[in-house]
mmCIF file of all heavy atoms in Angstrom:
data_model
loop_
_atom_site.group_PDB
_atom_site.id
_atom_site.type_symbol
_atom_site.label_atom_id
_atom_site.label_comp_id
_atom_site.label_asym_id
_atom_site.label_seq_id
_atom_site.Cartn_x
_atom_site.Cartn_y
_atom_site.Cartn_z
ATOM 1 N N LEU F 1 -12.787 58.224 -63.746
ATOM 2 C CA LEU F 1 -12.340 56.790 -63.717
ATOM 3 C C LEU F 1 -10.952 56.686 -64.365
ATOM 4 O O LEU F 1 -10.701 57.355 -65.297
ATOM 5 C CB LEU F 1 -13.325 55.960 -64.438
ATOM 6 C CG LEU F 1 -14.754 55.839 -63.977
ATOM 7 C CD1 LEU F 1 -15.634 55.021 -64.798
ATOM 8 C CD2 LEU F 1 -14.799 55.335 -62.465
ATOM 9 N N LYS F 2 -10.159 55.837 -63.797
ATOM 10 C CA LYS F 2 -8.834 55.603 -64.497
ATOM 11 C C LYS F 2 -9.191 54.810 -65.795
ATOM 12 O O LYS F 2 -10.225 54.037 -65.837
ATOM 13 C CB LYS F 2 -7.911 54.814 -63.590
ATOM 14 C CG LYS F 2 -8.239 53.294 -63.264
ATOM 15 C CD LYS F 2 -7.092 52.845 -62.521
ATOM 16 C CE LYS F 2 -7.257 51.332 -62.212
ATOM 17 N NZ LYS F 2 -6.095 50.779 -61.456
ATOM 18 N N SER F 3 -8.408 54.874 -66.721
ATOM 19 C CA SER F 3 -8.697 54.455 -68.080
ATOM 20 C C SER F 3 -7.424 54.029 -68.895
ATOM 21 O O SER F 3 -6.334 54.349 -68.430
ATOM 22 C CB SER F 3 -9.574 55.392 -68.903
ATOM 23 O OG SER F 3 -8.750 56.594 -69.236
ATOM 24 N N ALA F 4 -7.697 53.383 -69.992
ATOM 25 C CA ALA F 4 -6.533 53.062 -70.923
ATOM 26 C C ALA F 4 -6.975 53.381 -72.412
ATOM 27 O O ALA F 4 -8.178 52.970 -72.718
ATOM 28 C CB ALA F 4 -6.172 51.604 -70.869
ATOM 29 N N LEU F 5 -6.208 54.037 -73.086
ATOM 30 C CA LEU F 5 -6.526 54.320 -74.578
ATOM 31 C C LEU F 5 -5.817 53.474 -75.463
ATOM 32 O O LEU F 5 -4.580 53.418 -75.502
ATOM 33 C CB LEU F 5 -6.116 55.904 -74.733
ATOM 34 C CG LEU F 5 -6.713 56.449 -76.047
ATOM 35 C CD1 LEU F 5 -8.146 56.492 -76.075
ATOM 36 C CD2 LEU F 5 -5.962 57.862 -76.336
ATOM 37 N N ILE F 6 -6.560 52.688 -76.197
ATOM 38 C CA ILE F 6 -5.931 51.807 -77.274
ATOM 39 C C ILE F 6 -6.228 52.497 -78.572
ATOM 40 O O ILE F 6 -7.359 52.607 -78.998
ATOM 41 C CB ILE F 6 -6.644 50.433 -77.324
ATOM 42 C CG1 ILE F 6 -6.430 49.747 -75.850
ATOM 43 C CG2 ILE F 6 -6.000 49.589 -78.340
ATOM 44 C CD1 ILE F 6 -7.142 48.388 -75.708
ATOM 45 N N GLN F 7 -5.286 52.928 -79.231
ATOM 46 C CA GLN F 7 -5.369 53.700 -80.474
ATOM 47 C C GLN F 7 -5.785 52.836 -81.599
ATOM 48 O O GLN F 7 -5.675 51.621 -81.578
ATOM 49 C CB GLN F 7 -4.013 54.396 -80.858
ATOM 50 C CG GLN F 7 -3.549 55.297 -79.634
ATOM 51 C CD GLN F 7 -2.425 56.206 -79.955
ATOM 52 O OE1 GLN F 7 -2.507 56.876 -81.036
ATOM 53 N NE2 GLN F 7 -1.329 56.086 -79.260
ATOM 54 N N SER F 8 -6.366 53.420 -82.590
ATOM 55 C CA SER F 8 -7.090 52.735 -83.677
ATOM 56 C C SER F 8 -6.117 51.951 -84.539
ATOM 57 O O SER F 8 -6.532 50.866 -85.185
ATOM 58 C CB SER F 8 -7.750 53.809 -84.617
ATOM 59 O OG SER F 8 -6.977 54.746 -85.123
ATOM 60 N N THR F 9 -4.847 52.154 -84.448
ATOM 61 C CA THR F 9 -3.764 51.510 -85.143
ATOM 62 C C THR F 9 -3.269 50.374 -84.432
ATOM 63 O O THR F 9 -2.408 49.588 -84.959
ATOM 64 C CB THR F 9 -2.656 52.522 -85.618
ATOM 65 O OG1 THR F 9 -2.180 53.063 -84.447
ATOM 66 C CG2 THR F 9 -3.146 53.515 -86.528
ATOM 67 N N GLU F 10 -3.633 50.267 -83.214
ATOM 68 C CA GLU F 10 -3.020 49.113 -82.357
ATOM 69 C C GLU F 10 -4.010 47.900 -82.435
ATOM 70 O O GLU F 10 -5.112 48.043 -82.803
ATOM 71 C CB GLU F 10 -2.980 49.483 -80.853
ATOM 72 C CG GLU F 10 -1.991 50.690 -80.499
ATOM 73 C CD GLU F 10 -1.948 50.901 -78.968
ATOM 74 O OE1 GLU F 10 -1.289 50.331 -78.349
ATOM 75 O OE2 GLU F 10 -2.753 51.876 -78.576
ATOM 76 N N LEU F 11 -3.344 46.800 -82.290
ATOM 77 C CA LEU F 11 -4.073 45.595 -82.403
ATOM 78 C C LEU F 11 -4.315 45.012 -81.020
ATOM 79 O O LEU F 11 -3.330 44.703 -80.292
ATOM 80 C CB LEU F 11 -3.369 44.549 -83.270
ATOM 81 C CG LEU F 11 -4.066 43.158 -83.611
ATOM 82 C CD1 LEU F 11 -5.389 43.341 -84.174
ATOM 83 C CD2 LEU F 11 -3.177 42.166 -84.384
ATOM 84 N N VAL F 12 -5.574 44.706 -80.655
ATOM 85 C CA VAL F 12 -5.777 43.941 -79.330
ATOM 86 C C VAL F 12 -5.431 42.572 -79.434
ATOM 87 O O VAL F 12 -6.054 41.845 -80.210
ATOM 88 C CB VAL F 12 -7.306 44.157 -79.013
ATOM 89 C CG1 VAL F 12 -7.657 43.359 -77.809
ATOM 90 C CG2 VAL F 12 -7.624 45.693 -78.725
ATOM 91 N N ASP F 13 -4.534 42.176 -78.669
ATOM 92 C CA ASP F 13 -4.201 40.682 -78.580
ATOM 93 C C ASP F 13 -4.061 40.392 -77.107
ATOM 94 O O ASP F 13 -4.287 41.031 -76.209
ATOM 95 C CB ASP F 13 -2.804 40.464 -79.300
ATOM 96 C CG ASP F 13 -1.672 41.405 -78.711
ATOM 97 O OD1 ASP F 13 -1.753 41.898 -77.525
ATOM 98 O OD2 ASP F 13 -0.689 41.584 -79.405
ATOM 99 N N ASN F 14 -3.625 39.127 -76.963
ATOM 100 C CA ASN F 14 -3.655 38.483 -75.526
ATOM 101 C C ASN F 14 -2.585 39.286 -74.589
ATOM 102 O O ASN F 14 -2.879 39.450 -73.354
ATOM 103 C CB ASN F 14 -3.187 37.105 -75.576
ATOM 104 C CG ASN F 14 -4.311 36.205 -75.994
ATOM 105 O OD1 ASN F 14 -5.391 36.407 -75.650
ATOM 106 N ND2 ASN F 14 -4.015 35.170 -76.866
ATOM 107 N N LYS F 15 -1.542 39.890 -75.183
ATOM 108 C CA LYS F 15 -0.585 40.615 -74.444
ATOM 109 C C LYS F 15 -1.263 41.849 -73.892
ATOM 110 O O LYS F 15 -1.066 42.221 -72.622
ATOM 111 C CB LYS F 15 0.671 40.940 -75.213
ATOM 112 C CG LYS F 15 1.736 41.761 -74.479
ATOM 113 C CD LYS F 15 2.932 42.002 -75.345
ATOM 114 C CE LYS F 15 3.988 42.854 -74.515
ATOM 115 N NZ LYS F 15 5.221 43.171 -75.440
ATOM 116 N N ILE F 16 -2.002 42.552 -74.741
ATOM 117 C CA ILE F 16 -2.704 43.843 -74.266
ATOM 118 C C ILE F 16 -3.675 43.549 -73.249
ATOM 119 O O ILE F 16 -3.776 44.228 -72.244
ATOM 120 C CB ILE F 16 -3.260 44.609 -75.511
ATOM 121 C CG1 ILE F 16 -2.126 45.280 -76.265
ATOM 122 C CG2 ILE F 16 -4.320 45.537 -75.050
ATOM 123 C CD1 ILE F 16 -2.706 46.154 -77.465
ATOM 124 N N ILE F 17 -4.481 42.415 -73.537
ATOM 125 C CA ILE F 17 -5.432 41.964 -72.521
ATOM 126 C C ILE F 17 -4.800 41.702 -71.130
ATOM 127 O O ILE F 17 -5.355 42.155 -70.111
ATOM 128 C CB ILE F 17 -6.208 40.816 -72.999
ATOM 129 C CG1 ILE F 17 -7.085 41.188 -74.233
ATOM 130 C CG2 ILE F 17 -7.163 40.270 -71.947
ATOM 131 C CD1 ILE F 17 -8.136 42.271 -74.002
ATOM 132 N N SER F 18 -3.668 40.983 -71.110
ATOM 133 C CA SER F 18 -2.971 40.721 -69.899
ATOM 134 C C SER F 18 -2.613 41.946 -69.253
ATOM 135 O O SER F 18 -2.739 42.062 -67.936
ATOM 136 C CB SER F 18 -1.856 39.815 -70.212
ATOM 137 O OG SER F 18 -1.083 39.589 -69.058
ATOM 138 N N VAL F 19 -2.023 42.961 -69.940
ATOM 139 C CA VAL F 19 -1.697 44.224 -69.304
ATOM 140 C C VAL F 19 -2.857 44.946 -68.664
ATOM 141 O O VAL F 19 -2.808 45.445 -67.635
ATOM 142 C CB VAL F 19 -0.928 45.192 -70.343
ATOM 143 C CG1 VAL F 19 -0.682 46.557 -69.782
ATOM 144 C CG2 VAL F 19 0.356 44.500 -70.739
ATOM 145 N N LEU F 20 -3.930 44.936 -69.402
ATOM 146 C CA LEU F 20 -5.187 45.635 -68.939
ATOM 147 C C LEU F 20 -5.737 44.985 -67.733
ATOM 148 O O LEU F 20 -6.166 45.599 -66.737
ATOM 149 C CB LEU F 20 -6.244 45.539 -70.020
ATOM 150 C CG LEU F 20 -5.993 46.486 -71.305
ATOM 151 C CD1 LEU F 20 -7.140 46.288 -72.250
ATOM 152 C CD2 LEU F 20 -5.939 47.957 -70.908
ATOM 153 N N ARG F 21 -5.630 43.582 -67.617
ATOM 154 C CA ARG F 21 -6.054 42.875 -66.373
ATOM 155 C C ARG F 21 -5.271 43.428 -65.143
ATOM 156 O O ARG F 21 -5.815 43.506 -64.041
ATOM 157 C CB ARG F 21 -6.120 41.425 -66.616
ATOM 158 C CG ARG F 21 -7.158 40.891 -67.530
ATOM 159 C CD ARG F 21 -7.005 39.351 -67.755
ATOM 160 N NE ARG F 21 -8.016 38.933 -68.640
ATOM 161 C CZ ARG F 21 -8.039 37.644 -69.083
ATOM 162 N NH1 ARG F 21 -6.934 36.852 -68.856
ATOM 163 N NH2 ARG F 21 -8.967 37.302 -69.944
ATOM 164 N N ARG F 22 -3.971 43.402 -65.339
ATOM 165 C CA ARG F 22 -3.052 43.863 -64.187
ATOM 166 C C ARG F 22 -3.347 45.292 -63.792
ATOM 167 O O ARG F 22 -3.320 45.533 -62.689
ATOM 168 C CB ARG F 22 -1.706 43.645 -64.586
ATOM 169 C CG ARG F 22 -1.184 42.184 -64.693
ATOM 170 C CD ARG F 22 0.350 42.033 -64.712
ATOM 171 N NE ARG F 22 0.926 42.818 -65.767
ATOM 172 C CZ ARG F 22 1.214 42.266 -66.992
ATOM 173 N NH1 ARG F 22 0.920 41.032 -67.246
ATOM 174 N NH2 ARG F 22 1.900 43.047 -67.878
ATOM 175 N N TYR F 23 -3.712 46.096 -64.821
ATOM 176 C CA TYR F 23 -3.779 47.566 -64.533
ATOM 177 C C TYR F 23 -5.113 47.752 -63.859
ATOM 178 O O TYR F 23 -5.225 48.538 -62.834
ATOM 179 C CB TYR F 23 -3.793 48.275 -65.888
ATOM 180 C CG TYR F 23 -4.146 49.789 -65.744
ATOM 181 C CD1 TYR F 23 -3.184 50.651 -65.007
ATOM 182 C CD2 TYR F 23 -5.161 50.465 -66.347
ATOM 183 C CE1 TYR F 23 -3.379 51.999 -64.918
ATOM 184 C CE2 TYR F 23 -5.463 51.781 -66.267
ATOM 185 C CZ TYR F 23 -4.462 52.512 -65.487
ATOM 186 O OH TYR F 23 -4.740 53.896 -65.387
ATOM 187 N N PHE F 24 -6.210 47.135 -64.414
ATOM 188 C CA PHE F 24 -7.554 47.449 -63.778
ATOM 189 C C PHE F 24 -7.878 46.476 -62.540
ATOM 190 O O PHE F 24 -8.781 46.739 -61.808
ATOM 191 C CB PHE F 24 -8.697 47.302 -64.815
ATOM 192 C CG PHE F 24 -8.671 48.360 -65.924
ATOM 193 C CD1 PHE F 24 -8.239 48.135 -67.136
ATOM 194 C CD2 PHE F 24 -9.067 49.607 -65.491
ATOM 195 C CE1 PHE F 24 -8.308 49.255 -68.105
ATOM 196 C CE2 PHE F 24 -9.082 50.738 -66.468
ATOM 197 C CZ PHE F 24 -8.713 50.393 -67.713
ATOM 198 N N LYS F 25 -7.093 45.426 -62.533
ATOM 199 C CA LYS F 25 -7.393 44.341 -61.423
ATOM 200 C C LYS F 25 -8.815 43.840 -61.487
ATOM 201 O O LYS F 25 -9.534 43.807 -60.412
ATOM 202 C CB LYS F 25 -6.994 44.942 -60.027
ATOM 203 C CG LYS F 25 -5.518 45.259 -59.970
ATOM 204 C CD LYS F 25 -5.256 45.772 -58.514
ATOM 205 C CE LYS F 25 -3.785 46.035 -58.303
ATOM 206 N NZ LYS F 25 -3.124 47.019 -59.257
ATOM 207 N N THR F 26 -9.310 43.636 -62.640
ATOM 208 C CA THR F 26 -10.657 43.163 -62.919
ATOM 209 C C THR F 26 -10.784 42.276 -64.101
ATOM 210 O O THR F 26 -9.937 42.417 -64.983
ATOM 211 C CB THR F 26 -11.557 44.345 -62.956
ATOM 212 O OG1 THR F 26 -12.926 43.929 -63.074
ATOM 213 C CG2 THR F 26 -11.219 45.246 -64.087
ATOM 214 N N GLU F 27 -11.857 41.631 -64.185
ATOM 215 C CA GLU F 27 -12.039 40.756 -65.423
ATOM 216 C C GLU F 27 -13.099 41.462 -66.350
ATOM 217 O O GLU F 27 -13.403 41.042 -67.470
ATOM 218 C CB GLU F 27 -12.649 39.346 -65.001
ATOM 219 C CG GLU F 27 -11.689 38.496 -64.386
ATOM 220 C CD GLU F 27 -10.610 37.974 -65.346
ATOM 221 O OE1 GLU F 27 -10.996 37.671 -66.560
ATOM 222 O OE2 GLU F 27 -9.381 37.868 -65.145
ATOM 223 N N GLU F 28 -13.625 42.607 -65.923
ATOM 224 C CA GLU F 28 -14.566 43.340 -66.760
ATOM 225 C C GLU F 28 -14.227 44.798 -66.793
ATOM 226 O O GLU F 28 -13.651 45.312 -65.922
ATOM 227 C CB GLU F 28 -16.022 43.238 -66.174
ATOM 228 C CG GLU F 28 -16.732 41.912 -66.370
ATOM 229 C CD GLU F 28 -18.119 41.908 -65.931
ATOM 230 O OE1 GLU F 28 -18.395 42.430 -64.878
ATOM 231 O OE2 GLU F 28 -19.074 41.543 -66.755
ATOM 232 N N VAL F 29 -14.533 45.447 -67.894
ATOM 233 C CA VAL F 29 -14.243 46.827 -68.134
ATOM 234 C C VAL F 29 -15.474 47.493 -68.741
ATOM 235 O O VAL F 29 -16.271 46.900 -69.350
ATOM 236 C CB VAL F 29 -12.967 47.123 -68.924
ATOM 237 C CG1 VAL F 29 -11.762 46.686 -68.156
ATOM 238 C CG2 VAL F 29 -13.052 46.403 -70.246
ATOM 239 N N THR F 30 -15.566 48.947 -68.555
ATOM 240 C CA THR F 30 -16.474 49.699 -69.415
ATOM 241 C C THR F 30 -15.669 50.196 -70.658
ATOM 242 O O THR F 30 -14.531 50.627 -70.528
ATOM 243 C CB THR F 30 -16.959 50.773 -68.589
ATOM 244 O OG1 THR F 30 -17.751 50.228 -67.443
ATOM 245 C CG2 THR F 30 -17.902 51.764 -69.356
ATOM 246 N N VAL F 31 -16.434 50.222 -71.751
ATOM 247 C CA VAL F 31 -15.811 50.665 -72.931
ATOM 248 C C VAL F 31 -16.595 51.889 -73.528
ATOM 249 O O VAL F 31 -17.726 51.880 -73.754
ATOM 250 C CB VAL F 31 -15.727 49.530 -74.041
ATOM 251 C CG1 VAL F 31 -15.115 50.034 -75.419
ATOM 252 C CG2 VAL F 31 -14.989 48.327 -73.516
ATOM 253 N N ARG F 32 -15.637 52.954 -73.851
ATOM 254 C CA ARG F 32 -16.116 54.100 -74.509
ATOM 255 C C ARG F 32 -15.384 54.290 -75.805
ATOM 256 O O ARG F 32 -14.409 53.517 -76.084
ATOM 257 C CB ARG F 32 -16.129 55.358 -73.705
ATOM 258 C CG ARG F 32 -16.989 55.362 -72.422
ATOM 259 C CD ARG F 32 -16.780 56.597 -71.556
ATOM 260 N NE ARG F 32 -17.510 57.644 -72.225
ATOM 261 C CZ ARG F 32 -17.315 58.927 -71.914
ATOM 262 N NH1 ARG F 32 -16.431 59.271 -70.977
ATOM 263 N NH2 ARG F 32 -17.991 59.910 -72.609
ATOM 264 N N TYR F 33 -15.699 55.273 -76.682
ATOM 265 C CA TYR F 33 -15.124 55.386 -77.915
ATOM 266 C C TYR F 33 -14.693 56.889 -78.202
ATOM 267 O O TYR F 33 -15.456 57.795 -77.891
ATOM 268 C CB TYR F 33 -16.040 54.959 -79.068
ATOM 269 C CG TYR F 33 -16.559 53.672 -78.867
ATOM 270 C CD1 TYR F 33 -17.678 53.305 -78.153
ATOM 271 C CD2 TYR F 33 -15.785 52.508 -79.411
ATOM 272 C CE1 TYR F 33 -18.143 52.069 -77.987
ATOM 273 C CE2 TYR F 33 -16.245 51.208 -79.215
ATOM 274 C CZ TYR F 33 -17.378 51.018 -78.419
ATOM 275 O OH TYR F 33 -17.874 49.698 -78.309
ATOM 276 N N GLN F 34 -13.499 57.078 -78.603
ATOM 277 C CA GLN F 34 -12.863 58.334 -78.974
ATOM 278 C C GLN F 34 -12.815 58.369 -80.449
ATOM 279 O O GLN F 34 -11.957 57.736 -81.061
ATOM 280 C CB GLN F 34 -11.589 58.680 -78.381
ATOM 281 C CG GLN F 34 -10.912 59.952 -78.916
ATOM 282 C CD GLN F 34 -11.693 61.239 -78.632
ATOM 283 O OE1 GLN F 34 -11.806 61.737 -77.524
ATOM 284 N NE2 GLN F 34 -12.257 61.809 -79.641
ATOM 285 N N TYR F 35 -13.654 59.111 -81.139
ATOM 286 C CA TYR F 35 -13.764 59.152 -82.683
ATOM 287 C C TYR F 35 -12.534 59.853 -83.165
ATOM 288 O O TYR F 35 -12.215 60.997 -82.745
ATOM 289 C CB TYR F 35 -15.036 59.679 -83.151
ATOM 290 C CG TYR F 35 -16.117 58.750 -82.864
ATOM 291 C CD1 TYR F 35 -16.923 58.834 -81.773
ATOM 292 C CD2 TYR F 35 -16.522 57.815 -83.832
ATOM 293 C CE1 TYR F 35 -17.904 57.948 -81.403
ATOM 294 C CE2 TYR F 35 -17.526 56.837 -83.533
ATOM 295 C CZ TYR F 35 -18.179 56.863 -82.400
ATOM 296 O OH TYR F 35 -19.251 56.025 -82.084
ATOM 297 N N VAL F 36 -11.921 59.351 -84.318
ATOM 298 C CA VAL F 36 -10.897 60.037 -85.016
ATOM 299 C C VAL F 36 -11.314 60.399 -86.515
ATOM 300 O O VAL F 36 -10.666 61.093 -87.096
ATOM 301 C CB VAL F 36 -9.594 59.159 -85.000
ATOM 302 C CG1 VAL F 36 -9.065 59.027 -83.691
ATOM 303 C CG2 VAL F 36 -9.853 57.746 -85.638
ATOM 304 N N HIS F 37 -12.474 59.748 -86.879
ATOM 305 C CA HIS F 37 -12.948 60.055 -88.224
ATOM 306 C C HIS F 37 -14.473 60.187 -88.104
ATOM 307 O O HIS F 37 -15.134 59.442 -87.235
ATOM 308 C CB HIS F 37 -12.693 58.960 -89.288
ATOM 309 C CG HIS F 37 -11.295 58.766 -89.493
ATOM 310 N ND1 HIS F 37 -10.394 59.571 -90.033
ATOM 311 C CD2 HIS F 37 -10.507 57.611 -89.272
ATOM 312 C CE1 HIS F 37 -9.194 59.187 -90.169
ATOM 313 N NE2 HIS F 37 -9.202 57.990 -89.710
ATOM 314 N N PRO F 38 -15.210 61.076 -88.844
ATOM 315 C CA PRO F 38 -16.694 61.188 -88.824
ATOM 316 C C PRO F 38 -17.322 59.941 -89.137
ATOM 317 O O PRO F 38 -16.759 58.980 -89.890
ATOM 318 C CB PRO F 38 -16.851 62.267 -89.816
ATOM 319 C CG PRO F 38 -15.685 62.907 -90.051
ATOM 320 C CD PRO F 38 -14.535 62.059 -89.779
ATOM 321 N N THR F 39 -18.429 59.668 -88.545
ATOM 322 C CA THR F 39 -19.051 58.428 -88.861
ATOM 323 C C THR F 39 -20.658 58.734 -88.807
ATOM 324 O O THR F 39 -21.090 59.572 -87.921
ATOM 325 C CB THR F 39 -18.865 57.296 -87.782
ATOM 326 O OG1 THR F 39 -19.708 56.183 -88.081
ATOM 327 C CG2 THR F 39 -19.073 57.823 -86.421
ATOM 328 N N PRO F 40 -21.455 58.308 -89.773
ATOM 329 C CA PRO F 40 -22.865 58.423 -89.701
ATOM 330 C C PRO F 40 -23.616 57.720 -88.573
ATOM 331 O O PRO F 40 -24.755 58.136 -88.243
ATOM 332 C CB PRO F 40 -23.365 57.946 -91.160
ATOM 333 C CG PRO F 40 -22.248 56.863 -91.398
ATOM 334 C CD PRO F 40 -21.078 57.392 -90.882
ATOM 335 N N LYS F 41 -23.026 56.739 -88.031
ATOM 336 C CA LYS F 41 -23.636 55.865 -86.941
ATOM 337 C C LYS F 41 -22.770 55.769 -85.807
ATOM 338 O O LYS F 41 -22.082 54.688 -85.638
ATOM 339 C CB LYS F 41 -24.056 54.544 -87.487
ATOM 340 C CG LYS F 41 -25.229 54.663 -88.566
ATOM 341 C CD LYS F 41 -25.599 53.310 -89.036
ATOM 342 C CE LYS F 41 -26.702 53.324 -90.097
ATOM 343 N NZ LYS F 41 -27.037 51.991 -90.632
ATOM 344 N N PRO F 42 -22.604 56.814 -84.894
ATOM 345 C CA PRO F 42 -21.777 56.583 -83.747
ATOM 346 C C PRO F 42 -22.130 55.484 -82.867
ATOM 347 O O PRO F 42 -23.389 55.257 -82.768
ATOM 348 C CB PRO F 42 -21.949 57.918 -82.971
ATOM 349 C CG PRO F 42 -22.306 58.918 -84.032
ATOM 350 C CD PRO F 42 -23.138 58.137 -85.008
#
């Protein structure tokens, strides 16, 4: 699947959402997670 990676230091705002809508051409997306630090509860 085509995808977009929003790094942990980026802030999701309306501008990013607008870009994602144009890129995916959809109002819904599937979300997965790429861990950068260990966590007891993935």
Side-chain angles (χ1 to χ4, degrees):
L1 297 177
K2 72 176 185 178
S3 64
L5 187 66
I6 303 175
Q7 301 190 55
S8 58
T9 54
E10 294 183 87
L11 179 65
V12 171
D13 55 18
N14 284 319
K15 182 178 179 181
I16 283 183
I17 294 297
S18 178
V19 171
L20 290 174
R21 286 178 180 167
R22 290 197 301 271
Y23 177 64
F24 289 112
K25 296 181 174 60
T26 179
E27 287 288 322
E28 286 189 310
V29 289
T30 295
V31 178
R32 299 181 70 196
Y33 305 90
Q34 170 65 69
Y35 289 89
V36 294
H37 299 296
T39 175
K41 295 182 179 180

